Amino acid sequence: MSLHRVSSMSSYEHVRGSSPARSEHRKISFNPVGTWVPPAAKEEPVGAFEVSKTRRLAQVTTAVVYCLLAAGVVFGYAALKPVLINEGVYRDSCPDVSIDAESSSTTCYEQEIRLNLMFTTAAVATNVCALPVGTVLDRYGPRVCGLIGSLFLAIGAIFFAFAAQFPFDGYIPGYLFLALGGPFVFISSFQLSNTFPRHSGLILALLTGAFDSSSAIFLFYRLIYIASNYSFTPQKFFLVYLMVPVYISVAQTFLMPKDSYKTVGELVTHAEDPSSDIRPIDHHISDESRLAHLREERRQHREDVVSEITSLLGRKGEEGDKQTQAEERKKQISGVWGALHGQSAFQQIKSPWFILIALFTVIQMVRINYFVATVRTQYEHLLSDHDKAVHVNNVFDVALPLGGVIAIPMIGLVLDNTSTPFVLALLVSVATAIGVLGVLPYLWAAYANIVLFVLYRPLYYTAVSDYAAKVFGFHTFGKVYGLIICLAGILNFFQSALDALTHKKFSGDPVPVNVVLLVMALVVGAVLVGFVWYKSRKLGRDKLEAEAEGATESLMPEDNGEMVNGGR
């Protein structure tokens, strides 16, 4: 799961005086499957200036808190897994069901597979969930989306709390509902970046940091579990955790906006559109003077909106121009901006641009989630020491949420100041280094692997969405990016096959599987980098040729001695 890094949401758009055809001015849809849902009645844009600053600040603060508690909690599985093992979850799956003090900290093959299937199912659901989340958000707004998320979180907590008493397996559906609730809560919070347009980037960074840090919830629980001498059982924890969906429900009902706050571009476009002065209700007004008065009030309101937006931004026109120039510079640096803009989603999906990034994403997501689910068992075999493996697992539990927060400023610098081919080459290089470190049987290699992994994970997710926005454009972003993540999520079920292969075929040795994944990622990544590098150079040459042709036409004299499109 990742935050969509879309520049039009995170920076000021100097809309006025620009061409309305620019892709940045389109309404950004969170619906990856398009607009097949019948459109609702004409929506009146909600501007942040219509809500008090105090309320907007409370909304942002509240959203950051509940994202910290719920958005990506399932990715803290590595911290929860030892607790489940100690509680004997799925121990009855083992052929030799001997639950003594010594064996309670270890697992058999059958138990390991069932435990990892719990996380695999949740990881798949988190990514595939982007499809319904986008549809609900676009159609019904962030409040309904957040309430659905809180309902799923509550169902998941109840399932997990009473799983041992159910006549069926309640752990997997419980974890599944926790995974489903996260995206509904998290994605519906993106629109809050428009509450303070001058600080939209900071707000998105806070939400992203909260998502990454939410994996620490289970770490804190495990520490409490150990400190209580194992008396604070999962049932007690998840009953207490029910306060989180209650908190989200109350916030959504009484504090959060019913409809999404709109971007500056959307507000200005609406405010400058004279057709918005005409409403369907006008047909029921027979008094011409009253109708003219109402439309004049609407016109005046539109002008007031533009004034309020200027006040909200707190920027002078020259500063807006500088911001626009900075955005243009980022596009030039990327080298691939606009590569497939204007093409249909189907044309984009069948291109090498899509196929290669989709393959790379699938492989990398399998690698990432496979490591998260099996970090301790991998190092038990590599280090041949259970205590050291537990220590590595503990270090990973702390580093995972911290890495996401620490990496945020680095990610912004890399993506805004380097070309897309460079970013992809960096991803492939770091992924290769992680793969090599992951097969070395040394404790220092384990530490180095964890540090690189926790920094690489948020960079990888953000870079893929950044690539999709730059290459495919905003018009098809939801469909194309949603399909990439959806495919990667579904194919994550291969993780269970990798678990079985590791335990059955290789007797618990993770090296063969890791080497195969390393080679696959390296080959596909190298082809992707080579293709994008070649295309970026070609796009650069084509642009220079187009500019040269334009300059030639501008300087070509007419018969009367005047310059065409030029001076006299």
Side-chain angles (χ1 to χ4, degrees), residues 287-333:
D287 188 338
E288 291 294 331
S289 61
R290 184 184 171 209
L291 181 60
H293 179 69
L294 282 174
R295 289 180 177 174
E296 176 61 24
E297 285 185 344
R298 293 166 187 165
R299 185 193 64 78
Q300 185 61 45
H301 175 70
R302 288 193 292 104
E303 293 180 356
D304 291 343
V305 166
V306 175
S307 176
E308 292 283 358
I309 291 171
T310 303
S311 174
L312 181 68
L313 287 170
R315 294 180 181 270
K316 300 293 186 182
E318 292 182 2
E319 293 184 54
D321 288 336
K322 290 179 181 179
Q323 186 71 18
T324 302
Q325 291 170 8
E327 289 300 316
E328 290 298 323
R329 175 179 168 273
K330 294 175 187 177
K331 296 174 185 177
Q332 295 296 329
I333 291 174

Tab-separated table of all heavy atoms in Angstrom, residues 287-333:
chain	number	residue	atom	x	y	z
A	287	ASP	N	-40.699	34.611	-11.512
A	287	ASP	CA	-40.418	36.036	-11.390
A	287	ASP	C	-39.033	36.335	-11.989
A	287	ASP	O	-38.004	35.962	-11.431
A	287	ASP	CB	-40.451	36.428	-9.913
A	287	ASP	CG	-40.370	37.948	-9.725
A	287	ASP	OD1	-39.892	38.641	-10.646
A	287	ASP	OD2	-40.779	38.413	-8.652
A	288	GLU	N	-39.013	37.041	-13.127
A	288	GLU	CA	-37.765	37.311	-13.836
A	288	GLU	C	-36.813	38.174	-13.007
A	288	GLU	O	-35.601	37.954	-13.004
A	288	GLU	CB	-38.062	38.006	-15.175
A	288	GLU	CG	-38.743	37.127	-16.203
A	288	GLU	CD	-37.849	35.988	-16.662
A	288	GLU	OE1	-36.602	36.153	-16.646
A	288	GLU	OE2	-38.386	34.926	-17.023
A	289	SER	N	-37.348	39.167	-12.311
A	289	SER	CA	-36.483	40.045	-11.520
A	289	SER	C	-35.834	39.284	-10.364
A	289	SER	O	-34.654	39.491	-10.042
A	289	SER	CB	-37.285	41.232	-10.976
A	289	SER	OG	-38.338	40.778	-10.125
A	290	ARG	N	-36.614	38.413	-9.734
A	290	ARG	CA	-36.055	37.597	-8.644
A	290	ARG	C	-34.984	36.643	-9.167
A	290	ARG	O	-33.939	36.447	-8.549
A	290	ARG	CB	-37.170	36.806	-7.974
A	290	ARG	CG	-36.690	36.008	-6.765
A	290	ARG	CD	-37.782	35.170	-6.178
A	290	ARG	NE	-37.255	34.267	-5.170
A	290	ARG	CZ	-37.769	33.085	-4.877
A	290	ARG	NH1	-38.824	32.655	-5.539
A	290	ARG	NH2	-37.241	32.336	-3.931
A	291	LEU	N	-35.239	36.056	-10.359
A	291	LEU	CA	-34.275	35.143	-10.966
A	291	LEU	C	-32.983	35.877	-11.301
A	291	LEU	O	-31.873	35.376	-11.048
A	291	LEU	CB	-34.880	34.519	-12.222
A	291	LEU	CG	-33.998	33.507	-12.972
A	291	LEU	CD1	-33.639	32.327	-12.067
A	291	LEU	CD2	-34.716	33.004	-14.223
A	292	ALA	N	-33.116	37.076	-11.869
A	292	ALA	CA	-31.924	37.864	-12.202
A	292	ALA	C	-31.141	38.221	-10.941
A	292	ALA	O	-29.896	38.207	-10.930
A	292	ALA	CB	-32.328	39.125	-12.946
A	293	HIS	N	-31.867	38.528	-9.852
A	293	HIS	CA	-31.208	38.860	-8.585
A	293	HIS	C	-30.438	37.655	-8.036
A	293	HIS	O	-29.300	37.798	-7.560
A	293	HIS	CB	-32.266	39.329	-7.575
A	293	HIS	CG	-31.699	39.664	-6.233
A	293	HIS	ND1	-30.889	40.754	-6.004
A	293	HIS	CD2	-31.812	39.011	-5.025
A	293	HIS	CE1	-30.529	40.778	-4.736
A	293	HIS	NE2	-31.077	39.733	-4.115
A	294	LEU	N	-31.050	36.475	-8.100
A	294	LEU	CA	-30.381	35.256	-7.619
A	294	LEU	C	-29.102	34.978	-8.401
A	294	LEU	O	-28.064	34.639	-7.826
A	294	LEU	CB	-31.328	34.052	-7.732
A	294	LEU	CG	-32.402	33.911	-6.661
A	294	LEU	CD1	-33.348	32.760	-7.010
A	294	LEU	CD2	-31.767	33.670	-5.294
A	295	ARG	N	-29.178	35.131	-9.718
A	295	ARG	CA	-27.998	34.854	-10.542
A	295	ARG	C	-26.898	35.886	-10.310
A	295	ARG	O	-25.711	35.567	-10.372
A	295	ARG	CB	-28.407	34.800	-12.014
A	295	ARG	CG	-29.231	33.560	-12.333
A	295	ARG	CD	-29.666	33.472	-13.789
A	295	ARG	NE	-30.384	32.225	-14.042
A	295	ARG	CZ	-30.980	31.920	-15.195
A	295	ARG	NH1	-30.963	32.801	-16.210
A	295	ARG	NH2	-31.602	30.764	-15.343
A	296	GLU	N	-27.308	37.111	-10.041
A	296	GLU	CA	-26.311	38.130	-9.709
A	296	GLU	C	-25.619	37.807	-8.391
A	296	GLU	O	-24.393	37.988	-8.237
A	296	GLU	CB	-26.988	39.503	-9.624
A	296	GLU	CG	-26.070	40.641	-9.184
A	296	GLU	CD	-24.902	40.859	-10.140
A	296	GLU	OE1	-25.015	40.480	-11.333
A	296	GLU	OE2	-23.870	41.400	-9.689
A	297	GLU	N	-26.381	37.299	-7.428
A	297	GLU	CA	-25.795	36.873	-6.153
A	297	GLU	C	-24.810	35.729	-6.362
A	297	GLU	O	-23.742	35.686	-5.730
A	297	GLU	CB	-26.898	36.446	-5.186
A	297	GLU	CG	-27.688	37.597	-4.588
A	297	GLU	CD	-28.685	37.099	-3.551
A	297	GLU	OE1	-28.973	35.875	-3.528
A	297	GLU	OE2	-29.174	37.923	-2.759
A	298	ARG	N	-25.170	34.804	-7.248
A	298	ARG	CA	-24.268	33.681	-7.527
A	298	ARG	C	-22.981	34.161	-8.199
A	298	ARG	O	-21.894	33.679	-7.908
A	298	ARG	CB	-24.982	32.654	-8.412
A	298	ARG	CG	-26.139	31.945	-7.718
A	298	ARG	CD	-27.000	31.206	-8.718
A	298	ARG	NE	-28.216	30.662	-8.103
A	298	ARG	CZ	-29.268	30.233	-8.790
A	298	ARG	NH1	-29.253	30.284	-10.126
A	298	ARG	NH2	-30.328	29.757	-8.161
A	299	ARG	N	-23.123	35.127	-9.118
A	299	ARG	CA	-21.946	35.672	-9.785
A	299	ARG	C	-21.028	36.348	-8.767
A	299	ARG	O	-19.805	36.166	-8.788
A	299	ARG	CB	-22.361	36.676	-10.861
A	299	ARG	CG	-21.197	37.207	-11.701
A	299	ARG	CD	-21.615	38.403	-12.521
A	299	ARG	NE	-21.998	39.528	-11.680
A	299	ARG	CZ	-21.115	40.333	-11.067
A	299	ARG	NH1	-19.820	40.118	-11.196
A	299	ARG	NH2	-21.547	41.325	-10.320
A	300	GLN	N	-21.644	37.134	-7.866
A	300	GLN	CA	-20.859	37.804	-6.835
A	300	GLN	C	-20.182	36.787	-5.927
A	300	GLN	O	-19.028	36.966	-5.504
A	300	GLN	CB	-21.774	38.718	-6.010
A	300	GLN	CG	-21.031	39.568	-4.978
A	300	GLN	CD	-20.023	40.494	-5.592
A	300	GLN	OE1	-20.322	41.154	-6.581
A	300	GLN	NE2	-18.817	40.533	-5.035
A	301	HIS	N	-20.888	35.679	-5.650
A	301	HIS	CA	-20.313	34.629	-4.811
A	301	HIS	C	-19.095	34.010	-5.483
A	301	HIS	O	-18.088	33.712	-4.832
A	301	HIS	CB	-21.368	33.557	-4.532
A	301	HIS	CG	-20.834	32.370	-3.770
A	301	HIS	ND1	-20.457	32.438	-2.452
A	301	HIS	CD2	-20.604	31.086	-4.166
A	301	HIS	CE1	-20.021	31.266	-2.052
A	301	HIS	NE2	-20.096	30.419	-3.076
A	302	ARG	N	-19.182	33.823	-6.797
A	302	ARG	CA	-18.042	33.242	-7.524
A	302	ARG	C	-16.825	34.150	-7.408
A	302	ARG	O	-15.700	33.695	-7.213
A	302	ARG	CB	-18.401	33.032	-8.995
A	302	ARG	CG	-19.367	31.890	-9.242
A	302	ARG	CD	-19.449	31.520	-10.709
A	302	ARG	NE	-20.076	32.558	-11.534
A	302	ARG	CZ	-19.411	33.381	-12.344
A	302	ARG	NH1	-18.088	33.288	-12.439
A	302	ARG	NH2	-20.057	34.282	-13.068
A	303	GLU	N	-17.046	35.445	-7.530
A	303	GLU	CA	-15.929	36.385	-7.420
A	303	GLU	C	-15.357	36.386	-6.000
A	303	GLU	O	-14.142	36.487	-5.811
A	303	GLU	CB	-16.398	37.785	-7.803
A	303	GLU	CG	-16.769	37.917	-9.284
A	303	GLU	CD	-17.237	39.318	-9.642
A	303	GLU	OE1	-17.335	40.158	-8.719
A	303	GLU	OE2	-17.500	39.574	-10.836
A	304	ASP	N	-16.247	36.265	-5.019
A	304	ASP	CA	-15.784	36.200	-3.630
A	304	ASP	C	-14.955	34.946	-3.386
A	304	ASP	O	-13.993	34.962	-2.601
A	304	ASP	CB	-16.970	36.223	-2.665
A	304	ASP	CG	-17.676	37.565	-2.647
A	304	ASP	OD1	-17.076	38.549	-3.117
A	304	ASP	OD2	-18.845	37.611	-2.193
A	305	VAL	N	-15.330	33.840	-4.059
A	305	VAL	CA	-14.597	32.582	-3.908
A	305	VAL	C	-13.152	32.750	-4.356
A	305	VAL	O	-12.215	32.307	-3.690
A	305	VAL	CB	-15.288	31.450	-4.701
A	305	VAL	CG1	-14.352	30.248	-4.839
A	305	VAL	CG2	-16.572	31.028	-4.017
A	306	VAL	N	-12.961	33.412	-5.519
A	306	VAL	CA	-11.602	33.627	-6.018
A	306	VAL	C	-10.796	34.446	-5.022
A	306	VAL	O	-9.623	34.163	-4.749
A	306	VAL	CB	-11.640	34.330	-7.394
A	306	VAL	CG1	-10.221	34.668	-7.856
A	306	VAL	CG2	-12.333	33.450	-8.415
A	307	SER	N	-11.437	35.458	-4.441
A	307	SER	CA	-10.763	36.285	-3.442
A	307	SER	C	-10.399	35.466	-2.205
A	307	SER	O	-9.304	35.595	-1.653
A	307	SER	CB	-11.672	37.451	-3.045
A	307	SER	OG	-11.087	38.216	-2.014
A	308	GLU	N	-11.319	34.606	-1.769
A	308	GLU	CA	-11.071	33.761	-0.602
A	308	GLU	C	-9.941	32.775	-0.872
A	308	GLU	O	-9.130	32.483	0.012
A	308	GLU	CB	-12.343	32.999	-0.221
A	308	GLU	CG	-13.470	33.873	0.310
A	308	GLU	CD	-13.236	34.309	1.744
A	308	GLU	OE1	-12.211	33.904	2.327
A	308	GLU	OE2	-14.067	35.057	2.282
A	309	ILE	N	-9.879	32.250	-2.082
A	309	ILE	CA	-8.819	31.304	-2.436
A	309	ILE	C	-7.462	31.988	-2.362
A	309	ILE	O	-6.494	31.424	-1.840
A	309	ILE	CB	-9.051	30.732	-3.844
A	309	ILE	CG1	-10.265	29.811	-3.848
A	309	ILE	CG2	-7.825	29.965	-4.332
A	309	ILE	CD1	-10.701	29.372	-5.231
A	310	THR	N	-7.394	33.217	-2.864
A	310	THR	CA	-6.142	33.957	-2.806
A	310	THR	C	-5.709	34.156	-1.358
A	310	THR	O	-4.539	34.004	-1.006
A	310	THR	CB	-6.309	35.332	-3.486
A	310	THR	OG1	-6.750	35.130	-4.832
A	310	THR	CG2	-4.993	36.094	-3.487
A	311	SER	N	-6.679	34.470	-0.502
A	311	SER	CA	-6.388	34.645	0.922
A	311	SER	C	-5.955	33.335	1.557
A	311	SER	O	-5.039	33.291	2.377
A	311	SER	CB	-7.623	35.192	1.642
A	311	SER	OG	-7.418	35.250	3.028
A	312	LEU	N	-6.626	32.242	1.164
A	312	LEU	CA	-6.314	30.922	1.724
A	312	LEU	C	-4.903	30.499	1.365
A	312	LEU	O	-4.165	29.951	2.183
A	312	LEU	CB	-7.316	29.891	1.200
A	312	LEU	CG	-7.174	28.459	1.697
A	312	LEU	CD1	-7.513	28.379	3.179
A	312	LEU	CD2	-8.084	27.525	0.904
A	313	LEU	N	-4.504	30.763	0.110
A	313	LEU	CA	-3.170	30.378	-0.335
A	313	LEU	C	-2.099	31.205	0.353
A	313	LEU	O	-1.006	30.708	0.618
A	313	LEU	CB	-3.052	30.545	-1.854
A	313	LEU	CG	-3.794	29.523	-2.695
A	313	LEU	CD1	-3.808	29.943	-4.144
A	313	LEU	CD2	-3.158	28.157	-2.545
A	314	GLY	N	-2.419	32.469	0.598
A	314	GLY	CA	-1.449	33.323	1.256
A	314	GLY	C	-0.229	33.587	0.413
A	314	GLY	O	0.854	33.832	0.924
A	315	ARG	N	-0.375	33.529	-0.912
A	315	ARG	CA	0.761	33.714	-1.809
A	315	ARG	C	0.472	34.875	-2.762
A	315	ARG	O	-0.637	35.058	-3.212
A	315	ARG	CB	1.036	32.453	-2.634
A	315	ARG	CG	1.503	31.276	-1.807
A	315	ARG	CD	1.736	30.100	-2.740
A	315	ARG	NE	2.166	28.935	-2.010
A	315	ARG	CZ	3.417	28.635	-1.756
A	315	ARG	NH1	4.377	29.421	-2.173
A	315	ARG	NH2	3.732	27.540	-1.094
A	316	LYS	N	1.464	35.588	-3.103
A	316	LYS	CA	1.339	36.607	-4.129
A	316	LYS	C	1.404	35.927	-5.480
A	316	LYS	O	1.869	34.791	-5.606
A	316	LYS	CB	2.477	37.638	-4.003
A	316	LYS	CG	2.501	38.364	-2.667
A	316	LYS	CD	1.300	39.273	-2.491
A	316	LYS	CE	1.414	40.087	-1.215
A	316	LYS	NZ	0.254	40.935	-1.008
A	317	GLY	N	1.001	36.653	-6.510
A	317	GLY	CA	1.018	36.084	-7.852
A	317	GLY	C	2.399	35.654	-8.281
A	317	GLY	O	2.581	34.616	-8.909
A	318	GLU	N	3.432	36.469	-7.941
A	318	GLU	CA	4.784	36.123	-8.354
A	318	GLU	C	5.234	34.823	-7.708
A	318	GLU	O	5.930	34.015	-8.325
A	318	GLU	CB	5.733	37.260	-7.974
A	318	GLU	CG	5.505	38.535	-8.783
A	318	GLU	CD	6.489	39.616	-8.404
A	318	GLU	OE1	7.369	39.336	-7.540
A	318	GLU	OE2	6.403	40.725	-8.949
A	319	GLU	N	4.847	34.618	-6.441
A	319	GLU	CA	5.213	33.381	-5.763
A	319	GLU	C	4.523	32.201	-6.407
A	319	GLU	O	5.082	31.107	-6.503
A	319	GLU	CB	4.855	33.466	-4.278
A	319	GLU	CG	5.673	34.489	-3.519
A	319	GLU	CD	5.349	34.464	-2.041
A	319	GLU	OE1	5.425	33.379	-1.427
A	319	GLU	OE2	5.006	35.528	-1.505
A	320	GLY	N	3.256	32.400	-6.844
A	320	GLY	CA	2.558	31.342	-7.556
A	320	GLY	C	3.278	30.990	-8.839
A	320	GLY	O	3.384	29.819	-9.208
A	321	ASP	N	3.781	32.024	-9.542
A	321	ASP	CA	4.533	31.787	-10.771
A	321	ASP	C	5.797	30.979	-10.480
A	321	ASP	O	6.162	30.075	-11.231
A	321	ASP	CB	4.920	33.114	-11.424
A	321	ASP	CG	3.714	33.803	-12.052
A	321	ASP	OD1	2.744	33.088	-12.384
A	321	ASP	OD2	3.742	35.032	-12.188
A	322	LYS	N	6.475	31.312	-9.380
A	322	LYS	CA	7.681	30.569	-9.015
A	322	LYS	C	7.362	29.112	-8.730
A	322	LYS	O	8.107	28.211	-9.097
A	322	LYS	CB	8.334	31.215	-7.783
A	322	LYS	CG	8.961	32.577	-8.060
A	322	LYS	CD	9.574	33.160	-6.797
A	322	LYS	CE	10.185	34.529	-7.057
A	322	LYS	NZ	10.760	35.120	-5.806
A	323	GLN	N	6.218	28.881	-8.046
A	323	GLN	CA	5.820	27.515	-7.746
A	323	GLN	C	5.539	26.751	-9.038
A	323	GLN	O	5.923	25.590	-9.186
A	323	GLN	CB	4.571	27.520	-6.860
A	323	GLN	CG	4.125	26.156	-6.364
A	323	GLN	CD	5.074	25.597	-5.324
A	323	GLN	OE1	5.871	26.331	-4.737
A	323	GLN	NE2	5.010	24.301	-5.092
A	324	THR	N	4.860	27.419	-9.969
A	324	THR	CA	4.561	26.780	-11.243
A	324	THR	C	5.844	26.458	-11.997
A	324	THR	O	5.979	25.380	-12.589
A	324	THR	CB	3.674	27.713	-12.105
A	324	THR	OG1	2.490	28.011	-11.384
A	324	THR	CG2	3.312	27.046	-13.423
A	325	GLN	N	6.798	27.392	-11.970
A	325	GLN	CA	8.077	27.157	-12.632
A	325	GLN	C	8.815	25.983	-11.998
A	325	GLN	O	9.463	25.198	-12.696
A	325	GLN	CB	8.929	28.419	-12.564
A	325	GLN	CG	8.398	29.570	-13.421
A	325	GLN	CD	9.116	30.876	-13.152
A	325	GLN	OE1	10.112	30.912	-12.426
A	325	GLN	NE2	8.605	31.960	-13.728
A	326	ALA	N	8.712	25.867	-10.666
A	326	ALA	CA	9.360	24.743	-9.979
A	326	ALA	C	8.745	23.422	-10.412
A	326	ALA	O	9.448	22.421	-10.616
A	326	ALA	CB	9.234	24.907	-8.465
A	327	GLU	N	7.407	23.406	-10.568
A	327	GLU	CA	6.744	22.188	-11.028
A	327	GLU	C	7.171	21.836	-12.451
A	327	GLU	O	7.386	20.668	-12.777
A	327	GLU	CB	5.218	22.366	-10.968
A	327	GLU	CG	4.647	22.392	-9.561
A	327	GLU	CD	4.928	21.114	-8.804
A	327	GLU	OE1	4.770	20.025	-9.392
A	327	GLU	OE2	5.326	21.189	-7.639
A	328	GLU	N	7.298	22.852	-13.300
A	328	GLU	CA	7.739	22.613	-14.673
A	328	GLU	C	9.159	22.058	-14.692
A	328	GLU	O	9.493	21.192	-15.501
A	328	GLU	CB	7.664	23.906	-15.489
A	328	GLU	CG	6.251	24.374	-15.785
A	328	GLU	CD	5.478	23.365	-16.617
A	328	GLU	OE1	6.074	22.730	-17.505
A	328	GLU	OE2	4.273	23.186	-16.354
A	329	ARG	N	9.992	22.560	-13.795
A	329	ARG	CA	11.369	22.064	-13.711
A	329	ARG	C	11.400	20.585	-13.328
A	329	ARG	O	12.171	19.802	-13.884
A	329	ARG	CB	12.145	22.896	-12.684
A	329	ARG	CG	13.563	22.396	-12.433
A	329	ARG	CD	14.293	23.290	-11.427
A	329	ARG	NE	15.516	22.647	-10.980
A	329	ARG	CZ	15.598	21.803	-9.962
A	329	ARG	NH1	14.485	21.497	-9.277
A	329	ARG	NH2	16.737	21.263	-9.601
A	330	LYS	N	10.543	20.189	-12.391
A	330	LYS	CA	10.471	18.780	-11.992
A	330	LYS	C	10.070	17.893	-13.165
A	330	LYS	O	10.591	16.789	-13.345
A	330	LYS	CB	9.467	18.600	-10.839
A	330	LYS	CG	9.879	19.272	-9.543
A	330	LYS	CD	8.764	19.149	-8.507
A	330	LYS	CE	9.064	19.966	-7.256
A	330	LYS	NZ	7.950	19.900	-6.287
A	331	LYS	N	9.134	18.397	-13.969
A	331	LYS	CA	8.692	17.627	-15.131
A	331	LYS	C	9.829	17.450	-16.127
A	331	LYS	O	10.010	16.368	-16.707
A	331	LYS	CB	7.505	18.324	-15.807
A	331	LYS	CG	6.254	18.402	-14.950
A	331	LYS	CD	5.174	19.227	-15.639
A	331	LYS	CE	3.954	19.411	-14.748
A	331	LYS	NZ	2.922	20.264	-15.372
A	332	GLN	N	10.614	18.526	-16.321
A	332	GLN	CA	11.734	18.451	-17.251
A	332	GLN	C	12.795	17.470	-16.752
A	332	GLN	O	13.362	16.690	-17.519
A	332	GLN	CB	12.367	19.840	-17.428
A	332	GLN	CG	11.451	20.861	-18.085
A	332	GLN	CD	11.093	20.488	-19.509
A	332	GLN	OE1	11.870	19.863	-20.215
A	332	GLN	NE2	9.892	20.854	-19.928
A	333	ILE	N	13.063	17.512	-15.444
A	333	ILE	CA	14.079	16.629	-14.861
A	333	ILE	C	13.691	15.166	-15.001
A	333	ILE	O	14.539	14.307	-15.246
A	333	ILE	CB	14.301	16.976	-13.367
A	333	ILE	CG1	14.987	18.341	-13.237
A	333	ILE	CG2	15.145	15.905	-12.672
A	333	ILE	CD1	15.113	18.820	-11.807
